[in-house]
Amino acid sequence: QNEVIIMKVKINNSLSVILMVVSIILLISGSAYSSIYYVSKTGNDTTGNGSIEKPWATPTYGAAQVASGDTLYIRAGTYDVVTPDNNNYSGVAPHADNVTIAGYPGETAILRGNGGVAPTDVVIGTGYYDGTGHQADNLTIDNLTIQGMVSMVWSSGGTLKNSHVSIGGGSWTGNEQGAVVWLQGCVD
């Protein structure tokens, strides 16, 4: 009978160790999990799910759907972005930290603020309005043409690379043309 009790204890301890190892693996892989989503001129914000087969239609909607660690690819085309009057907020802004918003590789995606008339407010950046004043941290903007302001204000980190930013220029009308990338209160 003592052997049976010892055997049960060993089996219970082995199961505990196995469950603990599996839990740790799931925890690590869950936190490292990220998804890729898409926006396309042929997409639909109502019926799309962000997949390459059923993309969303607008960068603003897509950016609001992504979670921490996700990438949002914007397919070729010109997307008119409604820009808020308050420069602490952006027309295209993720509602999560550690997000990448990028033009699809090999394609030209243009985010155009204010219907192409300069000046414009913030087209893309870290600030979104949700009543809390939250700013997304560690936003990466890559491979986009941005006609309007870029703002990474009061956020921890951010990267702008392989992108063209202008307010005004050849296809723009209006005054106060130039380029603005606004970095304020950022750490690092």
Side-chain angles (χ1 to χ4, degrees):
Q1 184 172 2
N2 285 342
E3 276 184 38
V4 172
I5 293 172
I6 291 172
M7 187 87 135
K8 284 182 181 179
V9 169
K10 285 183 181 179
I11 290 173
N12 285 340
N13 284 340
S14 296
L15 285 174
S16 296
V17 169
I18 291 170
L19 287 174
M20 185 172 68
V21 169
V22 169
S23 296
I24 290 171
I25 290 171
L26 289 173
L27 181 65
I28 290 171
S29 65
S31 64
Y33 180 75
S34 62
S35 297
I36 297 175
Y37 295 102
Y38 301 87
V39 167
S40 171
K41 295 299 287 182
T42 61
N44 188 306
D45 287 345
T46 303
T47 61
N49 61 13
S51 68
I52 198 160
E53 297 84 13
K54 293 181 73 176
W56 294 308
T58 62
T60 300
Y61 184 83
Q65 306 310 306
V66 296
S68 184
D70 289 349
T71 297
L72 178 66
Y73 280 118
I74 302 174
R75 303 298 305 260
T78 299
Y79 298 84
D80 284 321
V81 176
V82 175
T83 58
D85 291 335
N86 182 332
N87 283 335
N88 288 321
Y89 305 114
S90 308
V92 176
H95 294 201
D97 298 335
N98 308 307
V99 168
T100 297
I101 299 176
Y104 190 78
E107 297 182 3
T108 300
I110 301 169
L111 303 182
R112 182 173 68 179
N114 201 28
V117 178
T120 181
D121 289 316
V122 182
V123 172
I124 187 169
T126 56
Y128 65 91
Y129 183 76
D130 67 350
T132 67
H134 178 81
Q135 302 289 328
D137 290 333
N138 301 313
L139 170 63
T140 298
I141 300 168
D142 187 14
N143 189 36
L144 289 171
T145 297
I146 302 158
Q147 295 177 341
M149 289 174 58
V150 173
S151 174
M152 295 190 191
V153 180
W154 304 115
S155 64
S156 175
T159 303
L160 174 64
K161 61 183 181 178
N162 307 314
S163 297
H164 176 76
V165 180
S166 70
I167 298 180
S171 64
W172 284 78
T173 61
N175 298 318
E176 301 177 36
Q177 299 180 16
V180 176
V181 177
W182 183 13
L183 306 173
Q184 177 182 343
C186 295
V187 176
D188 296 333

